[in-house]
Amino acid sequence: MGSTIPSPETLPPLFGKTRQALLALLYTHPDEPRLQEQLIQSAALGRGTVQRELEFLVRAGIARRTVQGRQVYFQANPDCPIYPELRSLIVKTAGVADVLRAALAPIAARIRAAFIYGSVARSEERRASDVDVMIIGEVTFAEASRALGSTQKTLAREVNPSVYPPAELRAKLAAKNHFLRTVIKGEKIFLIGDERELARLARK
Amino acid sequence: MSLQGWLENNWLVKHRTSAEEIASLLAIVERDLSNSQVAGLSPDWRLNIAYNAALQAAGAALAAAGFRAAREQHHYRTIQSLAFTLGWTAEKIGQLDNFRKKRNIGGYEIAGLVSEQEAGEMRELALALRDDVLAWLRKNHPKLLRR
């Protein structure tokens, strides 16, 4: 709201379509080896293009290739020197944030700020980490849960929304609510609004 | 699937209820609906109390139908059984189940997580469920409702 900083939604300016799709598939679930066939299907791109790109990512040390019997698996390479940076970039852009942002779109007009907090925002998530989403606005928990419900399948993890109307947020921050203070101070990935808007909401 | 199918999966156990049991379950529902608006309690706790009212109401309907949920995933099954007892829609059941998840986090992991807004919504849902259960009992199991 009133933000002049565009939030990064996709990666095209940095990477081509195939690389973007594969990085998103490999780096949003870094612990999970993906079958080559599965990657070709999920990326919905040509087999040859995907295979060439996967070869490139392996050569560059960004992905790891393992063979089990007749199956070829690919996985994000945690030993890659830029693994943490790349992972954070993917999560903030093509990964979880994109999926959640799209899901909130139908009720976004009544949301002043929304962001991911907790382990996913701190990039310390493990495979089973839930995604914690804080929503500040005039929406109900039922609406937010409904909007985000379908993303649990896409992301293969639980998405837990918390809904605070702006007035309640301010009152609780003023009353030094520990949970909210920690969340507001902590790492965030913004889905709607930005840090400035949040500061404004908290202060008003 | 049906409640009978659930029984075969060992998700439910057969249960013979009585008017006394239904009355005491409904008394818990009323107590918790009333306590869930006690001023001075945290929203975490009020959500928890209103959730318990809803759970007991769902349990009363299941008991009247001749079952209770097995120990494993007891809350989850009791909530999902509303599809077969009251004929609740997947959306309404999903709403209640979302509160179950929130209660797990707010009750056991993070203090102060639940907002007033959420606690209020849980109470509204519990009130609606109580009304639906009473109407359903009146229609389908009038003998279990002591006057």
Side-chain angles (χ1 to χ4, degrees):
Chain A
M1 290 238 158
S3 160
T4 51
I5 309 160
S7 59
E9 302 218 345
T10 45
L11 291 170
L14 290 177
F15 306 119
K17 196 172 153 194
T18 316
R19 188 161 304 166
Q20 188 190 330
L22 290 175
L23 285 175
L25 288 166
L26 297 171
Y27 272 73
T28 44
H29 294 273
D31 296 341
E32 221 172 292
R34 299 296 192 106
L35 272 173
Q36 176 171 288
E37 282 311 307
Q38 198 189 346
L39 289 168
I40 292 169
Q41 268 188 18
S42 306
L45 294 161
R47 170 177 297 272
T49 319
V50 172
Q51 281 172 338
R52 269 193 303 280
E53 188 59 38
L54 284 169
E55 263 170 50
F56 167 83
L57 293 175
V58 170
R59 253 186 291 127
I62 290 169
R64 261 198 314 222
R65 179 178 184 274
T66 44
V67 182
Q68 262 179 40
R70 302 166 92 180
Q71 310 279 33
V72 184
Y73 291 90
F74 292 88
Q75 189 176 356
N77 180 11
D79 300 328
C80 171
I82 57 162
Y83 172 86
E85 288 83 2
L86 202 48
R87 170 142 173 67
S88 148
L89 190 67
I90 301 298
V91 169
K92 284 179 185 167
T93 56
V96 178
D98 256 14
V99 174
L100 297 179
R101 202 175 283 125
L104 287 177
I107 52 170
R110 287 179 287 129
I111 298 176
R112 304 285 296 275
F115 54 87
I116 304 172
Y117 68 95
S119 61
V120 172
R122 291 194 300 270
S123 305
E124 4 166 286
E125 60 180 312
R126 295 175 310 259
R127 185 168 155 211
S129 286
D130 289 4
V131 184
D132 300 317
V133 180
M134 174 60 68
I135 296 173
I136 300 150
E138 303 297 342
V139 293
T140 63
F141 173 72
E143 284 177 304
S145 309
R146 208 178 304 133
L148 293 171
S150 60
T151 64
Q152 307 196 102
K153 230 181 203 166
T154 320
L155 301 171
R157 58 178 87 170
E158 296 272 337
V159 177
N160 305 318
S162 275
V163 177
Y164 278 80
E168 189 182 343
L169 175 82
R170 277 192 291 279
K172 289 219 163 151
L173 284 174
K176 302 198 189 314
N177 176 294
H178 177 72
F179 163 70
L180 281 177
R181 280 162 65 112
T182 312
V183 166
I184 299 285
K185 266 191 247 153
E187 291 288 318
K188 306 173 201 74
I189 299 169
F190 274 91
L191 305 170
I192 295 171
D194 56 24
E195 200 68 66
R196 270 191 298 174
E197 173 66 13
L198 181 63
R200 218 176 353 233
L201 283 167
R203 214 182 307 123
K204 230 187 259 173
Chain B
M1 267 297 187
S2 61
L3 291 178
Q4 197 54 45
W6 280 25
L7 182 69
E8 282 153 27
N9 286 349
N10 295 321
W11 294 350
L12 300 177
V13 241
K14 273 197 173 163
H15 179 74
R16 203 186 151 90
T17 193
S18 61
E20 287 72 25
E21 186 188 50
I22 297 294
S24 66
L25 285 171
L26 294 177
I28 295 174
V29 173
E30 293 306 327
R31 177 201 69 188
D32 287 350
L33 281 173
S34 147
N35 286 353
S36 67
Q37 50 181 351
V38 168
L41 288 183
S42 68
D44 287 340
W45 196 234
R46 277 188 284 124
L47 180 132
N48 208 327
I49 300 172
Y51 168 84
N52 193 53
L55 187 74
Q56 300 308 323
L62 188 57
F67 304 96
R68 63 185 159 79
R71 185 174 293 214
E72 201 175 314
Q73 299 205 322
H74 183 88
H75 288 209
Y76 177 76
R77 302 277 184 234
T78 303
I79 291 169
Q80 299 296 321
S81 74
L82 287 167
F84 304 116
T85 52
L86 308 192
W88 258 30
T89 60
E91 186 179 329
K92 271 176 145 175
I93 290 173
Q95 261 183 50
L96 183 50
D97 199 52
N98 285 327
F99 281 115
R100 176 182 65 83
K101 292 177 195 160
K102 177 161 286 283
R103 169 188 170 270
N104 286 343
I105 306 169
Y108 307 117
E109 292 174 25
I110 310 169
L113 174 93
V114 176
S115 65
E116 298 283 344
Q117 156 92 31
E118 291 164 343
E121 270 181 67
M122 178 62 244
R123 184 161 192 280
E124 290 300 315
L125 188 61
L127 282 168
L129 178 56
R130 187 265 323 258
D131 291 349
D132 284 1
V133 167
L134 285 176
W136 180 82
L137 284 172
R138 240 175 259 129
K139 189 173 167 210
N140 299 285
H141 301 277
K143 284 185 188 155
L144 290 173
L145 281 180
R146 276 194 312 195
R147 289 288 136 190

